[in-house]
Amino acid sequence: MSDFPTRARVVIIGGGVIGCSALYHLAKKGWTDCVLLEKNELTAGSTWHAAGNVPTFSTSWSIMNMQRYSTELYARLGEEVDYPMNYHQSGSIRLAHSPERMQEFERAAAMGRYQGMDIKILTPDQVKEIYPFIETHDLAGALYDPNDGDIDPAQVTQALAKGARDMGQKIIRFCPATGVTQTDDGWIVHTEKGDIACDYVVNAAGYYAQRVGEWFKPYGGRTVPMMVMSHQYLLTEEIPEIEAWSKETGKKLPLLRDVDVSYYLRQEKHGYNLGPYEPNCRAHWATPDDPMPEDFSFQLWSDDLDRIEDIVTDAMERVPLMASTGVSRVINGPIPYAPDGLPLIGPMPGVKNAFEACVFTFGIAQGGGAGKVLAEWIVEGQTEWDMWAVDPRRYTDYTDADYCVQKGMEVYGNEYAMHFPHHEWPAGRNKKLSPVHDRVIALGGVMGAYNGWERANWFAQPGDDTSREATHTWGRSGPWQARVKEECEAVRDHCGVLDLPGFSRFELGGDGAAEALRGLVTGALPKIGRMNLVYIADPRGRILTEMSCLRLGEDEFVMITAASAQWHDRDLLTATMPDGVTVKDVTTTRDTLIVTGPKSREVLAPLTDADLSLGWLSHQVATVAGQPAFVVRVSFAGELGWEVHALNADMPAIYDAILAAGAKPFGMYALNSLRIEKGYRAWKGDLSTDYTVLQGGLERFVKFDKPQDFPGKTALLAEQEQAPSRRFVTLTVEAGAADAPYMSCIWRDGDIVGETTSGDWGYRVGCSIALGMLRADLAVPGTELEVEIYGQRHRAVVQPDQPLWDPANERLRA
């Protein structure tokens, strides 16, 4: 082929709505020498049979941003690229059957208002006014989103493709990619028609993304965490009453979602489109007797209506018009699912200059925003909004096939479920266990999963209700509350011990390691035998990560970070360290105990030869209970305490000895309460790329006078000169039954002036606490504000810039 491109800046593999959106947005950023490869025709995968719903609703800030952007793009796209578009912003109504669901809606509505959307809460009577065919007698209320609606999936894909082509991009159809080869300066993508050399490659292969992902394994990749679900929706015959209503009003009925029953119901021409998410769901291509075909383009499975019979019956009772007509067609096609139901958008873990934009369960709704996000990742190396919720590096090595299938089916069967703060989903558990896991369970540990690691959230006593049903509340009150209080009081008054498997650990060393770190982190490095916190910023000065830096020698360090940050921070360190400096991930080889409280020295002293008089932020090699250990004088709980690090095989003896010496086991719920009283930030909540280092109140960790030009230095200097527009604050909140969740709106005089980044009850200080980001002129101690918690505004007061508990850190340094 004379016009076949042999060179491109980016090659995108996959021609659905996501690939075309990525190509379009790359062109909008000026990268017009990119190529998209599609094995068949555009839209041949999940796109062609997608229902095409375009909601903005989400309880995730970043997902809501992404979906909101899609609605804004689609509203102007047809005119922008001169392509006909069937886009109906009919609005949508989400039905609530319970007060708890209404609380969820109130929270989402507040987030939407903060993003500029006109989302409203409706009474049942108001629902009836805008949807006359519905039965509302058993409803608690509803959420109305005027921007929701539906779009023709093929049209939006072709419009994005046309827009990309008009700006110079190439799309090659009927050209399967067959593999990739990494080169010194990029990639070669192999196809049946020839090779294309490129700087960057994108896996946008939809439900084939796992197969494409295998090509990258020789270059540091992993198996893409995903599975494929069978999703059915049915189309009815036309209904005269709907035709008459549409002619009278000149519009379509709002899209209905009965989220407590788990289906959507949408006007399709003058009939209905009903899409259930049934608990009795089916995974496809997940067993040897059901292999994925080489090509499933434009194909469907036969219908399986028995699976959805109960939901269809319920929909007919909700909207009796449904029962007045027959079914004209059933669509049953493959939909990819990641283990949490969210897509993979961003850097491919472990692989240089490779990206993912795949495994979209709601690809039409998210496609516009996803293309924007991916183009930002590739062109700028950073995204406008913090997108950790969809970052492929949020998963690590526990996502085997069994896990992905279990979680995918669980998410699908609970597509509209409420994600209560104390609820733990049961599928795919026990993938990574601490060496003392059995002991923790025997002590009453009620477990949660943290990057696959099982940790105790709280410790139940005989007779406590540990059922999942007990967790179905947005409030702080539940069977755990009394136990968490006891655990916090034990840490306050005596000594607690927390088993904390999964701390991400990297051994970093080699000639020049110290100088390389100085050029990476915003602040100073510790002296040998000491540790400190270090922060890494992006070029805008925004917070990429926080690490504990322990210095063992002149050029020898241990970097410790959050469990969830393992692959994120591994890739960050390996990409920035020069030749001769090694980064070794030793996360899985060791376990950690937090031993903390005013009596912790007395508990540890008989068990160890460590010098427990060494000061705060010191570390030493020692023995504990006769086992080799690494003892660090630090405590995320904000009390006198130590972290005890040891090899997995040695930890059971250490844990047993510390318990026998009188330490009380405590869990993650208690730790969160304890850390928030100290104002300690949590990664990807309080610390994210939505905020700069200075906005985050971390000035003391920035060393502007060091000669190294660390990332973000110029931006932070400019921000320092002008003064940050927003400031990190601690608030005390008259919160009532529930503490402030992430991204609760902060109000002042009828205006939204900030957002909370985390909230919890402080058992040592006896009040509800929220950490948050606030307009700088209001970040003055004593300023009175309101925090919106599930639709109710509660009085809050800005606190001094110091910990609420032990503000002078006297207990910590005791």
Side-chain angles (χ1 to χ4, degrees):
M1 290 178 61
S2 59
D3 60 345
F4 184 82
T6 58
R7 173 75 202 169
R9 189 174 287 189
V10 182
V11 170
I12 299 169
I13 301 170
V17 67
I18 306 302
C20 290
S21 180
L23 191 71
Y24 172 82
H25 283 89
L26 285 167
K28 294 289 281 186
K29 287 194 166 293
W31 284 29
T32 56
D33 51 349
C34 306
V35 172
L36 182 146
L37 301 173
E38 166 54 43
K39 70 190 297 183
N40 195 284
E41 180 58 89
L42 297 184
T43 78
S46 294
T47 299
W48 85 272
H49 63 77
N53 299 330
V54 188
T56 60
F57 178 93
S58 179
T59 52
S60 162
W61 181 256
S62 55
I63 296 296
M64 182 178 275
N65 257 323
M66 190 166 68
Q67 294 180 171
R68 172 187 53 79
Y69 175 86
S70 290
T71 66
E72 295 167 355
L73 172 67
Y74 297 165
R76 66 176 188 268
L77 183 63
E79 183 177 349
E80 185 174 298
V81 304
D82 190 24
Y83 193 90
M85 299 273 287
N86 286 320
Y87 182 31
H88 310 106
Q89 287 188 284
S90 58
S92 74
I93 302 168
R94 287 175 184 260
L95 306 179
H97 294 243
S98 67
E100 290 78 15
R101 182 66 78 175
M102 289 300 293
Q103 287 180 280
E104 179 197 51
F105 287 174
E106 291 277 11
R107 181 187 174 206
M111 289 169 54
R113 285 192 292 270
Y114 197 1
Q115 292 192 16
M117 294 185 287
D118 188 24
I119 296 176
K120 294 182 173 67
I121 300 297
L122 304 181
T123 65
D125 287 343
Q126 289 171 320
V127 171
K128 190 81 171 179
E129 288 174 11
I130 61 176
Y131 203 104
F133 307 116
I134 191 171
E135 295 295 322
T136 61
H137 60 279
D138 58 345
L139 298 179
L143 178 142
Y144 178 68
D145 176 3
N147 295 316
D148 201 340
D150 65 274
I151 197 166
D152 184 304
Q155 285 183 334
V156 72
T157 304
Q158 295 292 352
L160 291 163
K162 181 180 186 295
R165 286 190 186 105
D166 289 348
M167 289 182 279
Q169 308 283 53
K170 281 191 176 295
I171 296 175
I172 307 176
R173 298 168 301 143
F174 304 102
C175 182
T178 58
V180 296
T181 300
Q182 193 173 52
T183 63
D184 290 341
D185 55 355
W187 294 91
I188 296 172
V189 179
H190 308 293
T191 82
E192 293 183 353
K193 298 180 179 179
D195 291 347
I196 306 175
C198 60
D199 300 323
Y200 304 93
V201 64
V202 178
N203 180 357
Y207 51 70
Y208 279 96
Q210 191 172 85
R211 185 168 290 179
V212 170
E214 295 301 296
W215 302 342
F216 295 88
K217 277 189 170 179
Y219 311 108
R222 86 303 184 212
T223 298
V224 175
M226 64 172 288
M227 53 83 71
V228 176
M229 288 300 305
S230 158
H231 175 58
Q232 300 182 94
Y233 63 90
L234 57 88
L235 305 175
T236 73
E237 304 286 356
E238 298 207 346
I239 302 171
E241 290 88 342
I242 293 179
E243 182 177 11
W245 186 89
S246 288
K247 285 181 177 178
E248 180 184 342
T249 62
K251 59 186 179 182
K252 292 177 67 173
L253 286 164
L255 195 157
L256 280 183
R257 289 187 181 84
D258 195 328
V259 290
D260 291 312
V261 180
S262 197
Y263 66 86
Y264 64 82
L265 185 67
R266 190 187 88 206
Q267 182 177 336
E268 183 77 25
K269 297 182 180 176
H270 295 136
Y272 276 122
N273 173 333
L274 172 66
Y277 291 93
E278 71 279 10
N280 181 30
C281 53
R282 178 173 179 186
H284 260 296
W285 305 334
T287 56
D289 62 346
D290 181 26
M292 175 181 276
E294 283 300 316
D295 191 354
F296 201 68
S297 299
F298 296 114
Q299 296 183 58
L300 296 171
W301 296 300
S302 57
D303 60 57
D304 187 5
L305 293 179
D306 289 346
R307 292 204 328 250
I308 62 175
E309 182 179 359
D310 290 347
I311 293 178
V312 174
T313 300
D314 194 282
M316 289 178 175
E317 293 172 353
R318 179 65 56 199
V319 182
L321 273 184
M322 270 282 292
S324 70
T325 189
V327 173
S328 66
R329 191 180 180 198
V330 178
I331 309 293
N332 184 11
I335 301 290
Y337 266 76
D340 60 4
L342 301 181
L344 307 177
I345 314 172
M348 187 181 295
V351 185
K352 183 180 179 182
N353 294 342
F355 292 83
E356 292 176 337
C358 53
V359 199
F360 281 78
T361 298
F362 299 100
I364 307 303
Q366 296 167 357
K372 172 189 186 294
V373 169
L374 187 76
E376 290 169 348
W377 265 125
I378 295 173
V379 175
E380 300 167 10
Q382 57 200 20
T383 54
E384 177 185 357
W385 317 304
D386 188 280
M387 295 304 297
W388 180 245
V390 297
D391 194 307
R393 298 167 295 183
R394 70 189 187 273
Y395 295 115
T396 60
D397 57 357
Y398 59 94
T399 57
D400 57 18
D402 170 71
Y403 177 86
C404 291
V405 170
Q406 282 194 49
K407 295 301 288 185
M409 294 182 70
E410 180 179 67
V411 170
Y412 181 93
N414 295 276
E415 189 62 65
Y416 296 127
M418 291 176 277
H419 293 262
F420 296 109
H422 295 95
H423 179 71
E424 292 284 341
W425 294 95
R429 297 298 295 272
N430 294 330
K431 290 299 179 181
K432 289 186 172 184
L433 302 181
S434 150
V436 299
H437 177 78
D438 291 345
R439 290 165 169 80
V440 171
I441 294 292
L443 290 165
V446 180
M447 311 304 285
Y450 298 80
N451 193 32
W453 291 96
E454 295 290 325
R455 295 176 178 172
N457 282 327
W458 61 286
F459 285 85
Q461 298 299 316
D464 287 346
D465 184 357
T466 59
S467 68
R468 289 198 296 275
E469 290 73 22
T471 68
H472 292 176
T473 174
W474 301 109
R476 82 177 66 86
S477 179
W480 55 84
Q481 186 178 25
R483 303 300 171 222
V484 174
K485 180 175 185 288
E486 292 167 1
E487 292 168 22
C488 290
E489 289 171 347
V491 172
R492 180 194 67 191
D493 299 334
H494 189 263
C495 177
V497 58
L498 170 64
D499 178 48
L500 201 64
F503 255 154
S504 301
R505 280 184 187 78
F506 308 98
E507 294 177 350
L508 190 150
D511 291 344
E515 186 59 25
L517 277 177
R518 289 189 192 99
L520 178 62
V521 307
T522 60
L525 301 183
K527 296 177 180 178
I528 296 172
R530 302 282 295 171
M531 67 166 290
N532 61 13
L533 284 178
V534 295
Y535 292 87
I536 301 173
D538 70 14
R540 300 167 296 184
R542 298 191 190 183
I543 304 163
L544 278 180
T545 196
E546 170 195 80
M547 298 187 187
S548 294
C549 178
L550 292 78
R551 193 167 191 175
L552 310 183
E554 181 60 33
D555 277 319
E556 187 180 0
F557 301 85
V558 173
M559 312 297 288
I560 299 178
T561 184
S564 57
Q566 183 183 358
W567 281 7
H568 176 281
D569 287 1
R570 176 203 66 185
D571 287 1
L572 179 58
L573 289 173
T574 54
T576 51
M577 290 298 107
D579 291 343
V581 176
T582 60
V583 178
K584 184 180 180 183
D585 187 340
V586 295
T587 299
T588 59
T589 64
R590 292 165 173 78
D591 190 25
T592 302
L593 302 179
I594 293 179
V595 185
T596 186
K599 303 295 185 182
S600 56
R601 184 178 278 121
E602 296 173 27
V603 167
L604 281 172
L607 307 177
T608 182
D609 58 3
D611 182 355
L612 300 181
S613 68
L614 291 182
W616 186 45
L617 303 181
S618 63
H619 55 80
Q620 58 191 301
V621 174
T623 61
V624 180
Q627 309 300 316
F630 189 62
V631 181
V632 184
R633 173 95 189 261
V634 70
S635 170
F636 199 52
E639 298 282 354
L640 172 69
W642 286 263
E643 288 177 3
V644 178
H645 302 256
L647 292 171
N648 293 332
D650 298 326
M651 190 56 88
I654 297 173
Y655 189 59
D656 288 347
I658 290 171
L659 288 170
K664 178 181 177 67
F666 69 101
M668 297 298 291
Y669 291 169
L671 183 64
N672 193 61
S673 170
L674 296 163
R675 70 95 188 168
I676 211 166
E677 292 173 308
K678 295 293 292 182
Y680 294 161
R681 280 68 154 167
W683 190 67
K684 289 306 179 188
D686 314 300
L687 303 171
S688 80
T689 57
D690 283 332
Y691 309 121
T692 70
V693 176
L694 299 185
Q695 288 174 343
L698 303 170
E699 292 92 335
R700 66 189 183 280
F701 297 102
V702 182
K703 190 172 174 59
F704 284 117
D705 60 353
K706 69 177 181 178
Q708 292 81 13
D709 188 23
F710 56 85
K713 185 175 185 178
T714 300
L716 290 170
L717 280 167
E719 185 182 12
Q720 184 188 48
E721 191 172 315
Q722 295 179 353
S725 60
R726 301 197 291 169
R727 286 286 188 182
F728 190 84
V729 293
T730 298
L731 307 173
T732 55
V733 188
E734 296 174 6
D739 302 306
Y742 173 67
M743 297 308 292
S744 296
C745 294
I746 302 174
W747 293 81
R748 171 71 181 252
D749 297 332
D751 295 322
I752 298 176
V753 294
E755 70 270 6
T756 64
T757 53
S758 58
D760 205 346
W761 185 266
Y763 289 95
R764 290 177 298 192
V765 299
C767 69
S768 185
I769 305 164
L771 307 183
M773 195 62 65
L774 183 63
R775 207 174 72 196
D777 62 301
L778 298 174
V780 178
T783 301
E784 294 195 12
L785 306 161
E786 291 178 303
V787 173
E788 184 172 353
I789 303 175
Y790 304 116
Q792 302 297 315
R793 297 188 197 176
H794 298 264
R795 180 177 176 269
V797 179
V798 177
Q799 299 301 303
D801 185 18
Q802 62 187 25
L804 291 176
W805 176 253
D806 185 28
N809 289 328
E810 294 170 351
R811 297 168 68 93
L812 202 63
R813 300 172 184 269

